[in-house]
């Protein structure tokens, strides 16, 4: 697959793009086994914090996944069965997912931080018949003879009732004929938390695994000569976009690192392994910038991308100035994959999510379903049908239907996020639906406020939420973590407020400011605004 020309026209590419999804698609056979025909093509470079390294070719991955497919089939796992895969950043993760796909089973990638209660819910809700994990995590799974999945594999061995992963594979043939999978057959499932209730099982079809190649092609601009490193956790759908399905569809070599986050180590690994495309969360990029990475030789690095949380404009500009490579923000969801993105061949507007991916039609809708005007906040929607959209929430048809609306004969998938679009067609994230602050009739997106707050030199991190107000209903309150050595006082709060008034519309400035030592975050590093908002409203009388 050739890289998109840096002089390509976004408008022309978007207007001429046509989906050509095959009627049947098995990623294991149609991608991995095809690349495996070249026995020398490197698929994976793996390293850990103990200095160990492994290199696998596509031929290696093909044969190992064949062995796993044979083992799972011998243990009764069949097409359509769900398999919980809870593995850290080790090569067995890729082998496990591809082995499942080859038999038509539906893998459920999970982060290793899950508790026993988390796993019991996912197993019970999905009806999983098998689990693949490590010896360190077997104790988290139900252990009774009639509890949980009947097929259990553990990397490193798991004791009684568990198949040793390595031994199981060695006992099997390295040849396997992958099953036929229709484009609309269930292929993979991710659990994602919502604003209420238990996590939702987002089920994607085989067509989505095929569609993942297009964000890799246009956003990541990957080709066969690239080395891609994405630091996403193995339980995130982002890992599919930038670790497995996207890069390997392009024949790209993937670098995979198992170790704690250390900004110095990140820089060393980027340089040593000649990483050309780097994908990391904005929080990670901010910490690396503090090290002044220009002193490190990153000559191979031509592109950095980020998704999952908005990258503030100052970070985009600082990264490009310091490192010399583009930093492209992108937007996607577990339910939709990557949908609104920036591209190497398109002018970047720092702070913007970008423009819709080829094959995606996005819009900002008002509450009445009409399309919003330029720069007007509204609900971000994706036109349906589209191969990137989920099949639905597992065993929850009502919740699935609630995500779709029909206006003037057009079906839209509502993302649950607020956005605006400028006159040039660039989208801007304005916060979750339930994060929007309604003050004296104005709807204020927290990200707009936070971007302005981050411009102050003393602000390290911040979160803007609604706070009750007797006159305006709600006002903006900012929770601010100051940089080390800075003391917060009334004078500094006033200074920050005045700066915010200058950088954004005056009605958006935070009328309340509280300096805090830290902000509540999810295990993946996302700020939990709803906890701060809940605290603000806890004492309000109804």
């Amino acid at each position: 697959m050739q890289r998109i020309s840096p002089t390509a026209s976004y408008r022309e590419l978007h207007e001429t793009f046509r989906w050509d999804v095959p009627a049947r698609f098995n990623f294991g056979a149609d991608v991995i086994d095809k690349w495996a025909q070249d026995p020398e093509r490197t698929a994976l470079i793996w390293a850990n914090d103990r200095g160990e390294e492994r290199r696998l070719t596509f031929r290696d991955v093909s044969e190992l996944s064949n062995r796993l497919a044979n083992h799972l089939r011998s243990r009764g796992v069949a097409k359509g069965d769900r398999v919980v895969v809870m593995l850290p950043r080790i090569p067995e993760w890729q082998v496990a997912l591809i082995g499942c796909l080859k038999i038509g089973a539906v893998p459920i990638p999970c982060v290793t931080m899950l508790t026993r209660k988390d796993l019991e819910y996912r197993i019970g809700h999905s009806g999983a018949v098998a689990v693949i994990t490590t010896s360190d995590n077997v104790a988290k799974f139900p252990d009774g003879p009639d509890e949980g999945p009947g097929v259990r594999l553990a990397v490193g061995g798991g004791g009684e009732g568990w198949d040793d992963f390595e031994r199981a594979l060695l006992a099997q043939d390295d040849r396997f004929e992958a099953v036929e999978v229709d484009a609309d057959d269930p292929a993979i499932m991710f659990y994602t938390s919502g604003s209420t209730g238990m996590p939702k099982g987002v089920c994607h079809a085989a067509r989505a695994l095929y569609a993942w190649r297009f964000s890799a092609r246009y956003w990541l601009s990957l080709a066969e000569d690239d080395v891609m490193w994405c630091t996403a956790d193995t339980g995130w759908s982002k890992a599919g976009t930038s670790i497995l399905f996207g890069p390997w569809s392009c024949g790209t070599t993937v670098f995979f690192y198992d170790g704690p986050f250390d900004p110095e180590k990140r820089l060393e690994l980027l340089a040593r392994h000649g990483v050309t495309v780097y994908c990391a969360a904005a929080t990670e990029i901010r910490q690396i910038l503090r090290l002044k990475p220009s002193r490190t030789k990153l000559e191979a690095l031509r592109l950095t991308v980020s998704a999952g949380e908005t990258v503030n404009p100052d970070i985009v500009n600082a990264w490009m100035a310091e490192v010399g490579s583009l930093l492209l923000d992108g937007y996607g969801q577990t339910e939709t994959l990557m949908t609104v993105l920036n591209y190497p061949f398109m002018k970047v507007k720092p702070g913007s999510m970008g423009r819709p991916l080829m094959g995606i039609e996005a819009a900002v809708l008002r509450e009445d379903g009409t399309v919003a005007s330029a720069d007007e906040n509204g609900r971000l929607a994706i036109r349906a049908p589209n191969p990137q959209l989920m099949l639905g929430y597992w065993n929850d048809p009502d919740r699935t239907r609630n995500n779709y609306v029909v206006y003037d004969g057009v079906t839209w998938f509502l993302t649950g996020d607020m956005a605006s679009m400028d006159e040039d067609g660039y989208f801007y994230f304005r916060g979750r639906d339930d994060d929007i602050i309604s003050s004296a009739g104005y709807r204020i997106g927290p990200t707009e406020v936070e971007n302005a707050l981050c411009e102050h030199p003393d602000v390290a991190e911040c979160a803007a939420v609604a706070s009750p107000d007797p006159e305006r209903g709600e006002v903006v309150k900012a929770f601010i973590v100051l940089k080390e050595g800075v003391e917060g006082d009334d004078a500094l709060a006033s200074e920050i407020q005045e700066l915010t008034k200058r950088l954004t519309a005056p009605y958006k400035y935070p009328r309340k400011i509280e300096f805090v030592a830290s902000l509540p975050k999810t295990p993946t590093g996302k700020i939990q605004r709803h906890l701060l908002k809940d605290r603000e409203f806890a004492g309000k009388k109804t």
Side-chain angles (χ1 to χ4, degrees), residues 223-291:
E224 296 174 31
D225 59 349
D226 278 308
V227 177
M228 172 84 208
W229 183 14
C230 174
T231 62
D233 201 306
T234 53
W236 304 353
S237 61
K238 187 71 183 67
T241 306
S242 301
I243 297 177
L244 206 167
F245 304 112
W248 280 358
S249 291
C250 300
T252 299
T253 298
V254 167
F255 177 65
F256 205 36
Y257 178 68
D258 187 23
F261 172 68
D262 179 317
E264 290 273 10
K265 188 68 174 178
R266 284 283 194 269
L267 288 172
E268 177 208 326
L269 292 169
L270 284 166
R272 181 172 10 133
H273 292 283
V275 173
T276 59
V277 181
Y278 177 49
C279 176
T283 302
E284 185 173 307
I285 290 171
R286 289 189 201 101
Q287 294 188 51
I288 292 175
L289 271 173
R290 294 173 188 158
L291 299 178

Side-chain angles (χ1 to χ4, degrees), residues 92-343:
E92 287 78 6
W93 177 74
Q94 283 96 336
V95 171
L97 264 61
I98 295 163
C100 289
L101 294 173
K102 283 186 171 180
I103 64 172
V106 180
I108 304 173
C110 297
V111 299
T112 56
M113 291 180 285
L114 294 182
T115 65
R116 185 185 183 94
K117 182 178 179 181
D118 296 327
L119 290 165
E120 287 175 344
Y121 169 74
R122 284 161 174 76
I123 291 167
H125 183 260
S126 68
V129 303
V131 59
I132 304 174
T133 191
T134 61
S135 56
D136 292 338
N137 285 296
V138 297
K140 294 181 179 180
F141 289 87
D143 50 11
D146 299 320
E147 298 179 54
V151 180
R152 308 177 187 206
L153 286 93
V155 177
E160 186 177 355
W162 289 83
D163 297 337
D164 182 286
F165 188 92
E166 293 86 349
R167 291 180 182 175
L169 267 61
L170 284 173
Q172 297 293 336
D173 196 315
D174 64 8
R175 293 166 297 176
F176 183 83
E177 185 174 345
V179 305
E180 286 191 349
V181 178
D182 289 344
D184 283 320
D185 284 342
I188 197 166
M189 184 152 63
F190 297 93
Y191 275 86
T192 181
S193 297
S195 56
T196 59
M198 298 297 286
K200 302 166 289 185
V202 177
C203 186
H204 276 289
R207 54 175 160 77
L209 305 191
Y210 176 84
W212 246 312
R213 66 187 59 203
F214 294 106
S215 60
R217 176 166 168 73
Y218 294 102
W219 179 43
L220 306 177
S221 69
L222 292 177
E224 296 174 31
D225 59 349
D226 278 308
V227 177
M228 172 84 208
W229 183 14
C230 174
T231 62
D233 201 306
T234 53
W236 304 353
S237 61
K238 187 71 183 67
T241 306
S242 301
I243 297 177
L244 206 167
F245 304 112
W248 280 358
S249 291
C250 300
T252 299
T253 298
V254 167
F255 177 65
F256 205 36
Y257 178 68
D258 187 23
F261 172 68
D262 179 317
E264 290 273 10
K265 188 68 174 178
R266 284 283 194 269
L267 288 172
E268 177 208 326
L269 292 169
L270 284 166
R272 181 172 10 133
H273 292 283
V275 173
T276 59
V277 181
Y278 177 49
C279 176
T283 302
E284 185 173 307
I285 290 171
R286 289 189 201 101
Q287 294 188 51
I288 292 175
L289 271 173
R290 294 173 188 158
L291 299 178
K292 300 294 181 182
S294 57
R295 63 185 173 81
T296 305
K297 297 294 183 182
L298 298 178
E299 289 134 350
L301 186 65
R302 62 175 180 80
L303 177 62
T304 303
V305 299
S306 186
E309 57 177 311
T310 302
V311 182
N312 301 116
D314 59 320
I315 299 298
V316 174
N317 293 325
W319 185 266
M320 293 171 70
E322 192 74 35
V323 178
S325 78
L326 286 171
L327 171 54
L328 301 180
D329 201 359
Y331 169 85
Q333 293 183 297
T334 305
E335 291 91 339
T336 67
L337 314 184
M338 304 307 297
T339 50
V340 180
L341 306 158
N342 288 282
Y343 311 93

